[in-house]
Structure formats: structure tokens, C-alpha cells
Amino acid sequence: MHRYSDSLESCDLQFGFKRNRSTAMCTMIVKEAISLYTNSGSTVHCVFLDSSKAFDRVEYCKLFKLLLDRHVPPHVIRLLLNMYTGQQVRVLWNGVSSCNFSVSNGVKQGAIISPILFCVYLDTLLIELKKVGVGCFIGSWFVAALAYADDVVLLAPTARAMRTMLAVCHKFATEFNVIFNAKKSKCITFNAHKHLFAHAPYLHTTPPLFSIGGNNIESVSSWPHLGHLFNANLLDDDDILARRNSLIGQINSFLCHFSKVDVLVKNALFRVYCSSHYGSELWDLTNHKIEDYCVAWRKGLRKLWKLPYDCSRLNVSVVSNTVPIFDELCRRFTNFIYSCLHCDSLFVQSVVLHGISARMNSPIGRNVAFCSAHFNQRISCIGVSKLSSYNCLEMCNKRMDQLLVARADILREVLLIRDGILEFSSDLFDLSDSNNLILSLSR
């Protein structure tokens, strides 16, 4: 794989199983493309294609022919050919094994090279769609077809362009024995922003009908893409709500499993088990629904430290020695921009730079401007270097009222004394008074 990596490389439109690529990068480009067109007064049709058992339907003859076309040495192909055509499998059911039988198609599940071979197989479709040249573009970059492994999304500003792309997909499916399941595929139509029609009545048009393989694709108002929930308004409300509900479940499960662990260990484990914040780097940081997510996080910390319900948000972050949750979300976004700008893909870099230059007409541009003001940095400094949790916590502490920080530090010590982690002996202080002191310091 290392020796022939150039021959096995898939195009930039494929994000799956690649170093320095992520699901967030793929979804970010989808959002940037949709936002660019809708802000320019254009409708965007987005089709999420579902391929049935894609890994199992790879045809060996087609795959090895593609490897020959990519100039992989014949002796390497013969080795792979022997590995695949010579394999024998059997089915184990209820303790009884079937007879051995050969496998005639599909890449080996769990094998290291299987994802690479599948990306080579699917690359034919992405290259063909790019050659057709219809669909959405960002500048001169083709963004009408993006894939993460077998998850393919198509973007087109017109129904005619989308039908052309679906025809290409159907032709590929017929030739390469891939099945695109129309029943599980979905379409979302993103209409132009209403503010562009301030002087004219806004008409809601019925989404056009698309099909693949002779079967119609259902139009929906929301659908997940690589874990991020899209809706027809291109707002993050649904995704934030889903993540909030997931976070609450994680916190409750965490507190149940680690209820008998002392609070310092529990606090450290909380950062590990309840801090994924998956997909938050794609949220609009000005969305008011983010506060609901932050409230759920702070409630979890209050329960962990057994703090009063009305404990201020400042006390929660200082007592637990963690970055305030909203600052953490901003930090994650700036680090995501850093990873995009330092990615080895010129395609990803260009899309992000285009978004930053577009400012308020781009989700990336709006968030960069917001983080610039939030962290008191120039826009050109966002994404230049990674922002660590330690540095972010220092920045937060500097802008906090130092008297409140001192109160929170005292509160932390009282909590540790209450739980028996710190020893404290004084004739002037009784542990029975600790609850009153905690209530006083928490406000």
C-alpha cells in the first residue's frame, strides 16, 4: 500500500479512508456549496444516494482491470487475485458449519487494503461525474458529487442537471454491479433565501421528482449526512437538538456507572466520556439553540460536583477546571479550520479559503468572523495554529472577574472537604456548616 500509494490514490471528491480527511470536511463542503447557491438566489437539489451492500458487490474482474489501468504492477495484481479468488468461506449457524464455498465478489471485510480497493472501485463514478461537468461548483472546483466510502451525495442547482448526474450513476451501477437503493435514497430541495425576495411574494415550489433505476427518490425536509442532520432551511437546530439529547443520555449513563468514584476521578473521566461534541465544528455559532446544548453540559457538571441547581455557569467551569462549554465549541471550530487549511488536499484548502473570503455568505466565514471577535484575534490569525485546551482556559480566566474566580476556587476546596478528599481540622469550622458555605459561594 505504501509502495504503490500513488496508483491507489482516489480523487479529492472521496473523503473515506484517507489520512487527514474527516466526515466533517465532507459535510462542510456540502454546506458551503448549498449556502453559496441559496445566498445567490438559486435553488439546490441534494440527493443522498444509498448503495446496498456496496462492499460485497465489488466485481473482481472490474476491480483488477481498474488496477491495471492505474499501472499497479502485474505481480502485485496476481497476488491480490490469488488472495480473492482462492478464498474459501463457510457459514456457522447455531453451532453447525456449512460446507466450504468460494466467494466470487466483494472485498474482504476487515482487511487493511479493502477500503482502498473499494475507493478505487467507486472512483470511476466520481471521475465520470466530474467529466460531465454539471452540478454545483465553488469557484472552479467541482463539488457536485462528494463521497465518504459508499456514502455519495449529489448537488445540482437545476432539476435537469440532477437528472443528468443520476443517469451517470445508473450507468455506473449497471456496468459495475452496484445497486443504488431508491427507497433508502432521499432528496432535499434547498430554496433560495427568502430575504432575496423581499420585494416579491415568496413562492414555495413543489420539489421536482427524481429517480434512479426506474424507481422514484423520496423528497424529505431533513436527512442525516455522515452524522450531521440537514434540514431544508439549512439550519442547525435539528442537529443541535439531537446532539443535546444524546449528550443528556451520555451524562446520565456516566453518572450511573461512576457514581461511587471520587469526584476528582469522576471529573477527569467526564472529559473523556462526555466531551466528543461530534459535529459541533459545523454548527453556526450564533444559533441560539447552542445555549440548550450548553445548559445540558453545565447541568451534568453540577450533578457531578453535587452543586446547587442555581450555581452560576462561571462557578461550574472554574470548579471543574474545564473550559466553559461555549468557548470549547469555539475552540473546536478554530482547530477544525486549522486542520482544513493544513490538509494535504488543495481542494479542501480552497473551499475553506473561499468561505473565509465570502464572510457572511458562508457558514465558515460567519464562524471565523465570530471567533475572531470572541477570542479578540484578527481574522487572519484564526486557523494559523491549534488552540489547546490549556491556552483556551487561560484566555477564559483572564477575561473573568478575578474576585469570582477566587470564590470559585474556595468553593472547590470546600466541596473537596465535604467529600472527604481534603482534610481540614478547625474548631471554628464544622462540616455541618459546609452546605451553607457552599450555597453562599455558589451565588
Side-chain angles (χ1 to χ4, degrees):
M1 286 171 59
H2 289 291
R3 182 172 296 179
Y4 305 110
S5 59
D6 291 342
S7 300
L8 297 173
E9 183 72 18
S10 53
C11 69
D12 282 333
L13 300 173
Q14 173 63 259
F15 287 79
F17 312 112
K18 287 184 176 181
R19 183 178 297 176
N20 300 323
R21 304 292 199 281
S22 66
T23 56
M25 289 182 183
C26 184
T27 305
M28 175 271 294
I29 294 176
V30 174
K31 291 187 70 174
E32 286 293 308
I34 296 171
S35 181
L36 174 65
Y37 277 80
T38 54
N39 280 320
S40 301
S42 173
T43 297
V44 177
H45 305 291
C46 179
V47 171
F48 303 95
L49 283 179
D50 177 85
S51 51
S52 299
K53 299 181 179 179
F55 282 78
D56 296 332
R57 301 189 67 87
V58 173
E59 285 193 354
Y60 295 155
C61 292
K62 299 286 185 183
L63 174 62
F64 297 131
K65 175 65 167 59
L66 291 173
L67 294 179
L68 282 171
D69 293 340
R70 287 169 171 260
H71 306 295
V72 176
H75 64 276
V76 175
I77 297 177
R78 284 198 298 270
L79 172 65
L80 293 172
L81 183 63
N82 182 68
M83 286 171 56
Y84 276 91
T85 60
Q87 63 181 323
Q88 296 283 318
V89 299
R90 59 182 177 176
V91 177
L92 180 66
W93 178 263
N94 199 23
V96 180
S97 297
S98 70
C99 297
N100 292 343
F101 59 92
S102 60
V103 178
S104 59
N105 57 275
V107 292
K108 292 187 175 187
Q109 298 288 326
I112 295 174
I113 200 173
S114 292
I116 306 300
L117 295 177
F118 178 79
C119 288
V120 169
Y121 198 74
L122 190 67
D123 209 39
T124 308
L125 172 61
L126 299 176
I127 292 173
E128 190 61 33
L129 287 168
K130 189 174 181 179
K131 285 181 180 178
V132 172
V134 299
C136 292
F137 284 77
I138 295 180
S140 60
W141 293 98
F142 176 81
V143 295
L146 300 166
Y148 193 94
D150 59 338
D151 284 304
V152 180
V153 58
L154 305 178
L155 299 168
T158 64
R160 182 179 180 181
M162 178 57 73
R163 292 190 179 104
T164 301
M165 296 172 69
L166 288 171
V168 173
C169 292
H170 176 63
K171 181 181 177 181
F172 168 81
T174 303
E175 183 179 353
F176 286 83
N177 193 32
V178 175
I179 296 179
F180 289 114
N181 191 339
K183 291 183 178 179
K184 292 185 178 179
S185 299
K186 305 296 177 184
C187 174
I188 300 179
T189 297
F190 299 90
N191 292 306
H193 284 179
K194 294 182 180 181
H195 72 270
L196 298 173
F197 303 93
H199 302 293
Y202 180 74
L203 300 177
H204 179 75
T205 57
T206 303
L209 189 63
F210 298 112
S211 63
I212 188 167
N215 298 309
N216 293 334
I217 298 173
E218 181 187 5
S219 291
V220 295
S221 58
S222 65
W223 194 252
H225 176 250
L226 302 178
H228 187 85
L229 197 59
F230 278 89
N231 64 31
N233 297 319
L234 202 60
L235 298 175
D236 299 316
D237 299 30
D238 295 341
D239 190 62
I240 295 172
L241 177 61
R243 292 297 163 194
R244 169 188 169 272
N245 294 339
S246 176
L247 176 64
I248 292 173
Q250 288 177 356
I251 291 173
N252 290 336
S253 177
F254 169 83
L255 294 175
C256 178
H257 281 88
F258 297 101
S259 59
K260 297 183 179 180
V261 178
D262 79 62
V263 70
L264 290 179
V265 175
K266 197 184 299 183
N267 190 64
L269 291 173
F270 184 85
R271 301 177 190 177
V272 177
Y273 285 92
C274 303
S275 300
S276 66
H277 309 309
Y278 182 82
S280 61
E281 56 269 24
L282 301 177
W283 294 345
D284 181 356
L285 294 173
T286 62
N287 191 312
H288 66 280
K289 291 292 183 181
I290 290 182
E291 179 59 21
D292 296 338
Y293 186 87
C294 296
V295 168
W297 167 270
R298 291 193 292 266
K299 283 184 177 179
L301 279 178
R302 279 200 294 266
K303 290 180 180 178
L304 189 155
W305 284 88
K306 298 178 182 177
L307 284 166
Y309 177 77
D310 56 349
C311 177
S312 70
R313 63 183 66 180
L314 170 63
N315 284 338
V316 173
S317 61
V318 177
V319 167
S320 60
N321 196 30
T322 57
V323 178
I325 180 60
F326 186 74
D327 292 87
E328 174 63 18
L329 298 181
C330 294
R331 185 187 75 86
R332 285 175 62 87
F333 171 77
T334 60
N335 287 346
F336 172 68
I337 294 299
Y338 171 86
S339 65
C340 291
L341 293 177
H342 291 79
C343 176
D344 55 3
S345 169
L346 183 61
F347 174 45
V348 175
Q349 294 178 28
S350 299
V351 170
V352 171
L353 289 174
H354 182 278
I356 294 174
S357 63
R359 298 291 174 86
M360 302 311 293
N361 287 329
S362 157
I364 287 288
R366 287 194 298 270
N367 278 356
V368 167
F370 181 88
C371 288
S372 171
H374 185 73
F375 290 123
N376 195 24
Q377 293 182 337
R378 294 193 302 271
I379 288 179
S380 58
C381 294
I382 302 297
V384 172
S385 60
K386 277 197 170 183
L387 181 60
S388 67
S389 297
Y390 177 78
N391 290 335
C392 187
L393 187 59
E394 277 193 330
M395 293 169 62
C396 294
N397 288 337
K398 285 180 180 179
R399 67 170 183 260
M400 291 179 183
D401 187 325
Q402 295 306 304
L403 179 59
L404 295 178
V405 172
R407 285 169 58 91
D409 287 336
I410 296 172
L411 174 59
R412 177 187 176 91
E413 292 189 4
V414 175
L415 291 169
L416 295 178
I417 292 171
R418 180 198 62 186
D419 295 340
I421 298 174
L422 283 182
E423 293 185 1
F424 181 80
S425 59
S426 173
D427 296 335
L428 301 177
F429 181 80
D430 193 331
L431 289 179
S432 60
D433 298 328
S434 61
N435 289 333
N436 293 331
L437 187 55
I438 290 171
L439 287 172
S440 175
L441 292 170
S442 297
R443 293 181 172 85

